[in-house]
Amino acid sequence: MKIALWIVQILLALVFAAAGSMKLFAFDQLVASMPALANQHGLVTFIGIAELAGAVGLILPGLTGIFPVLTTWAAAGLATIMVLATGLHLVQREFSHAVVTVISS
């Protein structure tokens, strides 16, 4: 069971690290696919940093054994980001993006 948990944690961390990296380092490509974000560079940067921190928080505390409760907090923070992202996509009538956020959360 521990192996399955680690596999899921690592996969989720990779997904959130990739998404956060894209928000931080490939903002122009992100805007090309979602033009509504063109004027939201600061918000997108903040979310990218939060996703990268969450990805690290999913792995590092359990790996080092230092404050392993932080893994739970990282997971809760990432879940909050996904719920808010789903709401944002629904408000902006981007239903295909909302489906992706619901599936990944």
Side-chain angles (χ1 to χ4, degrees):
M1 186 64 163
K2 285 186 179 184
I3 294 173
L5 179 62
W6 271 105
I7 290 171
V8 171
Q9 279 180 247
I10 290 169
L11 290 175
L12 282 173
L14 289 173
V15 168
F16 279 106
S21 296
M22 184 173 147
K23 287 176 180 77
L24 286 176
F25 305 117
F27 182 73
D28 295 332
Q29 293 174 351
L30 186 64
V31 169
S33 67
M34 290 188 286
L37 295 177
N39 297 327
Q40 303 295 326
H41 195 275
L43 176 64
V44 173
T45 300
F46 173 75
I47 294 170
I49 292 169
E51 286 178 342
L52 283 175
V56 170
L58 285 177
I59 301 299
L60 201 57
L63 192 63
T64 62
I66 300 171
F67 292 116
V69 71
L70 292 178
T71 300
T72 305
W73 284 97
L78 291 172
T80 302
I81 288 173
M82 296 308 291
V83 167
L84 294 173
T86 302
L88 177 69
H89 289 304
L90 290 174
V91 166
Q92 294 181 349
R93 298 188 173 273
E94 298 172 339
F95 299 114
S96 62
H97 294 293
V99 170
V100 172
T101 58
V102 167
I103 290 171
S104 60
S105 60

